[in-house]
Amino acid sequence: MTNTVSTVGTGADGPGQPGPAAPPDAPPAAQQPDWPDRAALRAVADELATLPGLVLAEECDRLSDRLAAVARGEAVLLQGGDCAETFDGVTEEHVRGTFGTLGEMSALIAEGAGLPVVQLGRIAGQYAKPRSSPLETRDGQTLPAYRGDLVNGLAFTPEARMPDPGRLQRGYRISATTLNLLRALAARRTTEFWTSHEALVLEYERALTRDTPSGVYDLSAHLVWVGERTRQLNGAHLDFVAGIRNPVAVKLGPTTTADDALAIVDQLDPDRTPGRLTFISRMGADAVRDALPELVSKVEASGAQVVWMCDPMHGNTFVAPSGHKTRDFDRIMDEVRGFFEVHADLGTHPGGIHAELTGEPVTECLGGTKPVTPEDLPSRYETACDPRLNRRQALDLARALADLYAHHPPSRR
Ligand code: PEP
Ligand code: MN
């Protein structure tokens, strides 16, 4: 397949012109904004393409090494943060809250598992959201859906919902600000901390892709992932991540076939490099025990050494009677337990957990040891997209994980 990334900078205007234009032979891209002004988009992406990357290629390589250890069963991966970061939500308190919560969770998990924990934030660039419908109707008015702060605004007005390429510049700047604080916090704790987001808006990801002496990297984050709605086998998103040397991840929902997973392995990890590819299963508590085993056993048989990660959030979302999109802690834990059962049966390593969480005492998910009740939901429901675990619920999850790892049989790899 054509490598779209190696042709970065060769848009319609010819070689050497950095910019958002997809290569002429690029496959179709799902979930892209309908930008009203392509020239403005092009100008913004050209500018981004001249700015420094947000991370270094060598940092991406070091994360690949850490993920190889996870793939071998020698470490655990913890990935977490907001479903959708917002530009206004990036405050020192918020960043410290996510960083601190992931740190506390890691300490608990490391102790239970007796393994180091690789900490990966959904942070410093998690600004773009896939949507089930491109339009949203309220009180008889229909507007473009909110696609994340990288694209448009959450307010339900025609002005806010118009995709604005200037938001790509703000996203870059606010990501840099966030990374600056994260790097300071990590240095003070002498801990490693890595950043990740969904590589959704391809104009942005392409504009931050650089041809470095060690190869082509998307320097918008250490790891980027492809979501459940954009992992089409012949689609632009898998094609894009196939061409970068960052470690990459792909979400796998309950309809994924073993052939789909094997085709993704062949496309993204043809050399079977441990830690190159992370599969994030998000099956739902009801499906995980049936849907996951065949994927794991066939991918393992292919010789790939992927990181197997469980996202117990996205398959367990429902709408409460109050109208709030929510998730129940018990259902989340049921999917996590199912994930561990599958790996115990197959002798494989349950590599890690992917969660939407915040350090703040929000009331977005139900349950936990200081239970959030359906009546509590309206009081601090602050997410711009999906419901997050609050700090207390995140630590409940970490304690449960510590126990599950402590009792998990060593993997046979
Ligand atoms: C997400 O991670 O916020 C998301 C949209 O997940 P998925 O692609 O698994 O639906
Ligand atoms: Mn989400």
Side-chain angles (χ1 to χ4, degrees):
M1 175 175 284
T2 311
N3 179 338
T4 58
V5 176
S6 64
T7 56
V8 116
T10 62
D13 299 343
Q17 295 293 312
D25 55 352
Q31 294 282 344
Q32 299 307 289
D34 199 0
W35 301 103
D37 183 348
R38 302 291 305 182
L41 172 67
R42 188 70 199 266
V44 164
D46 283 355
E47 189 202 330
L48 286 179
T50 66
L51 292 168
L54 294 168
V55 301
L56 297 177
E58 67 209 58
E59 294 174 334
C60 301
D61 289 348
R62 209 171 318 129
L63 175 57
S64 292
D65 290 346
R66 302 293 181 266
L67 295 178
V70 178
R72 290 191 301 266
E74 299 164 7
V76 170
L77 176 58
L78 174 64
Q79 185 178 19
D82 294 318
C83 174
E85 292 182 274
T86 61
F87 295 163
D88 289 346
V90 176
T91 61
E92 178 168 340
E93 184 193 3
H94 184 67
V95 174
R96 278 181 183 273
T98 302
F99 178 85
T101 303
L102 288 171
E104 287 180 86
M105 292 175 77
S106 292
L108 290 165
I109 296 166
E111 186 170 336
L115 296 173
V117 174
V118 180
Q119 297 180 55
L120 180 62
R122 277 178 72 112
I123 198 167
Q126 177 50 25
Y127 296 124
K129 300 312 300 173
R131 303 316 306 235
S132 41
S133 165
L135 299 172
E136 183 182 345
T137 300
R138 278 191 213 173
D139 303 328
Q141 190 182 18
T142 298
L143 294 174
Y146 172 61
R147 289 186 178 274
D149 273 16
L150 196 64
V151 175
N152 58 4
L154 182 58
F156 195 73
T157 64
E159 300 74 34
R161 290 295 172 92
M162 187 63 73
D164 172 8
R167 287 176 169 272
L168 302 184
Q169 285 164 313
R170 283 183 76 195
Y172 170 87
R173 281 204 312 271
I174 299 174
S175 293
T177 308
T178 308
L179 259 162
N180 181 58
L181 176 54
L182 289 169
R183 289 184 188 283
L185 294 170
R188 203 186 55 192
R189 291 238 187 114
T190 58
T191 190
E192 289 183 334
F193 188 90
W194 312 96
T195 61
S196 67
H197 61 259
E198 179 173 352
L200 183 67
V201 177
L202 291 175
E203 287 88 350
Y204 180 78
E205 304 301 333
R206 288 194 182 106
L208 288 173
T209 297
R210 301 283 181 271
D211 201 353
T212 80
S214 33
V216 174
Y217 290 79
D218 178 352
L219 298 180
S220 69
H222 297 114
L223 175 147
V224 291
W225 78 84
V226 175
E228 169 70 359
R229 288 181 200 143
T230 50
R231 61 170 175 78
Q232 297 80 13
L233 290 177
N234 297 310
H237 291 83
L238 289 185
D239 192 59
F240 172 75
V241 298
I244 57 174
R245 291 182 63 90
N246 308 56
V248 296
V250 181
K251 297 274 201 107
L252 301 179
T255 60
T256 314
T257 65
D259 283 347
D260 293 339
L262 290 170
I264 294 170
V265 168
D266 283 342
Q267 191 178 359
L268 303 191
D269 184 23
D271 302 328
R272 309 295 193 252
T273 308
R276 153 71 178 163
L277 177 59
T278 294
F279 274 140
I280 307 172
S281 65
R282 30 87 85 225
M283 301 295 177
D286 291 335
V288 61
R289 292 168 181 84
D290 294 330
L292 188 57
E294 192 191 356
L295 304 186
V296 175
S297 57
K298 292 209 169 146
V299 168
E300 294 283 315
S302 80
Q305 292 190 37
V306 305
V307 171
W308 291 106
M309 191 174 220
C310 172
D311 164 2
M313 315 292 294
H314 287 89
N316 297 307
T317 313
F318 67 97
V319 179
S322 57
H324 295 86
K325 222 203 282 188
T326 190
R327 295 157 173 160
D328 190 310
F329 189 81
D330 291 341
R331 302 285 292 163
I332 290 168
M333 277 314 307
D334 191 22
E335 179 158 357
V336 171
R337 276 192 298 272
F339 171 77
F340 273 79
E341 287 161 25
V342 169
H343 285 287
D345 283 350
L346 295 171
T348 45
H349 180 51
I353 293 292
H354 177 118
E356 291 181 338
L357 55 86
T358 173
E360 283 144 55
V362 299
T363 56
E364 298 171 3
C365 291
L366 301 171
T369 50
K370 183 168 177 281
V372 172
T373 66
E375 294 70 44
D376 294 331
L377 287 174
S379 68
R380 283 204 63 175
Y381 194 96
E382 296 168 9
T383 182
C385 194
D386 288 336
R388 303 161 293 180
L389 301 176
N390 60 31
R391 176 172 168 276
R392 173 98 183 205
Q393 292 166 329
L395 295 178
D396 290 340
L397 170 62
R399 272 185 282 271
L401 286 167
D403 197 49
L404 285 163
Y405 277 112
H407 295 98
H408 188 78
S411 79
R412 289 195 290 264
R413 181 174 282 154

